[in-house]
Amino acid sequence: MVSGPPLVDVYVDVVVIGAGQAGLSTAYHLRRLGVSFVVLDGAATAGGAWASRPPTLTMAKVHGVFDLPGAHRIAVDGETGLPASEVVGRYYADYERRFSLPVLRPVRVTSVSPLDDGRLRVAASNGATWTARVVANATGTWTRPHWPYYPGAASFRGRQLHSSDYRGPSSFAGLRVVVVGGGHSAAHVLSEIGDVAASVTWVTRRPPEFRSGEFGPEVGRSIIADVEARVRAGLPPLSVVAVTGLGYTDVVREALAKGVLERQPMFTRVVPDGVEFADGTVVPADVIIWATGFRAALGHLAPLRLREPGGGVRMDGTRVARDPRIHLVGYGPSASTVGANRAGRDAAVEIKDFLARVPAAA
């Protein structure tokens, strides 16, 4: 935890922004390579995005927790019924202590700006600043939920929330709920509220693609290649479900068994008491849950002007093509659990090489 007066103009070789899986992986490998760094994390507790997951998302419902580098996680008896946020948060906190990773929290980075001497100034909301030669950004997407625009949304008299704010089914008892989105978050919500809501309507822009069979190495490599081609072209990465499909997880099977995965096409507008479809049919609703995904949280990098005309950031591995001082770890092809660990290692090795090749400012 950060205490006392704000740190001002602290110098390190590398600032790692974010202490989720990608950030901790990068920090682990930087430590092994003997690089001077600090990790700035905007959350109050360890766990990355896992710390914000609803308590109803138990370990029995997750696809598994991928090991952080150098520390195999051993499951303990009885943990399947515990919230994933609790179990993973404890694992990540122990990991930070075990490897003496210099994580400061809560420190919310507001901007990364170029300095005249070639270094970077990292500023935080509490007034603290760091000067670094390289920034490894691992802020993920959780802090930037995507709310699509639909006509009439402001007129809705009920409650609207993003799936990132979902905390369990109890507050939806007896209500008419519309769930928007075709990903795993939507499936999780549907699998739970189906027991308590008066009615459930599931809508998606495109018909969901259910993936059967094992998600083998060949499929994984093909998906990563597709995502990598997009970011190399400077295009924004697609959502996970857009490239993987919706797998038959335990959560999806539960939702199917409850009959709540009966998809409807997207409505055309929101009306005060519900949603209206193209044929004029109105489905009454008390709540709209937007399970519409996330976007990369890169706003603090805006002063560096990294975006391409296509709207994305053109990448070469984890390195930003426009600026070799910036690495995006957990972005694009490295956004998966497996990819984040590999990206952390690759970024650390390349950063070490960059520091050796490029002279430090006098």
Side-chain angles (χ1 to χ4, degrees):
M1 291 289 183
V2 178
S3 59
L7 303 168
V8 179
D9 290 335
V10 178
Y11 176 78
V12 289
D13 282 331
V14 184
V15 168
V16 179
I17 306 175
Q21 183 179 353
L24 292 182
S25 174
T26 305
Y28 169 84
H29 290 289
L30 289 173
R31 171 71 83 203
R32 292 186 65 202
L33 294 172
V35 176
S36 164
F37 71 96
V38 67
V39 183
L40 309 180
D41 190 48
T45 59
W50 287 99
S52 300
R53 299 297 171 91
T56 55
L57 183 66
T58 62
M59 291 298 291
K61 293 182 178 181
V62 302
H63 309 313
V65 178
F66 201 79
D67 286 342
L68 292 166
H72 174 59
R73 192 190 78 86
I74 301 175
V76 300
D77 292 340
E79 76 171 20
T80 56
L82 295 176
S85 57
E86 176 185 327
V87 175
V88 179
R90 186 165 57 246
Y91 172 45
Y92 280 24
D94 290 344
Y95 187 86
E96 293 173 13
R97 287 190 293 267
R98 176 178 175 181
F99 293 105
S100 301
L101 301 180
V103 180
L104 301 181
R105 64 166 58 89
V107 177
R108 185 175 64 84
V109 173
T110 55
S111 67
V112 178
S113 307
L115 297 173
D116 291 340
D117 63 5
R119 296 185 297 180
L120 298 160
R121 181 177 183 271
V122 180
S125 59
N126 64 352
T129 58
W130 288 262
T131 300
R133 296 172 64 192
V134 175
V135 164
N137 189 82
T139 46
T141 62
W142 188 260
T143 59
R144 197 182 165 208
H146 174 56
W147 291 73
Y149 168 77
Y150 270 89
S155 72
F156 186 61
R157 288 194 284 258
R159 179 188 176 198
Q160 297 186 66
L161 69 153
H162 192 272
S163 58
S164 59
D165 295 318
Y166 173 78
R167 283 292 168 273
S170 60
S171 62
F172 304 99
L175 301 180
R176 300 162 298 181
V177 184
V178 173
V179 178
V180 184
H184 290 286
S185 294
H188 173 225
V189 171
L190 289 161
S191 72
E192 294 188 345
I193 67 172
D195 289 329
V196 301
S199 66
V200 177
T201 303
W202 180 38
V203 300
T204 67
R205 286 194 301 118
R206 294 183 297 270
E209 295 184 16
F210 289 93
R211 188 189 72 246
S212 59
E214 291 295 320
F215 190 83
E218 289 296 327
V219 176
R221 281 192 289 269
S222 175
I223 289 171
I224 289 174
D226 289 345
V227 177
E228 189 171 32
R230 283 187 62 87
V231 298
R232 279 186 176 274
L235 298 173
L238 297 173
S239 67
V240 173
V241 75
V243 293
T244 65
L246 197 59
Y248 284 101
T249 63
D250 290 344
V251 168
V252 169
R253 290 190 181 96
E254 182 180 346
L256 285 167
K258 293 178 181 179
V260 291
L261 288 190
E262 297 179 0
R263 176 259 178 186
Q264 303 295 323
M266 193 63 202
F267 48 79
T268 55
R269 64 183 292 105
V270 179
V271 294
D273 297 313
V275 294
E276 182 179 319
F277 291 84
D279 63 0
T281 301
V282 173
V283 171
D286 304 299
V287 183
I288 302 174
I289 302 176
W290 298 90
T292 44
F294 302 82
R295 299 292 183 265
L298 303 178
H300 53 287
L301 302 179
L304 300 174
R305 302 180 182 276
L306 303 177
R307 292 197 181 273
E308 300 290 334
V313 179
R314 188 161 56 90
M315 303 294 298
D316 185 0
T318 64
R319 176 172 50 82
V320 174
R322 282 177 178 253
D323 193 333
R325 300 170 300 175
I326 309 299
H327 286 255
L328 303 186
V329 191
Y331 175 86
S334 63
S336 67
T337 52
V338 178
N341 273 8
R342 293 173 179 168
R345 177 195 61 205
D346 294 345
V349 170
E350 189 165 340
I351 288 169
K352 173 77 171 180
D353 179 66
F354 175 87
L355 295 174
R357 288 186 295 102
V358 179

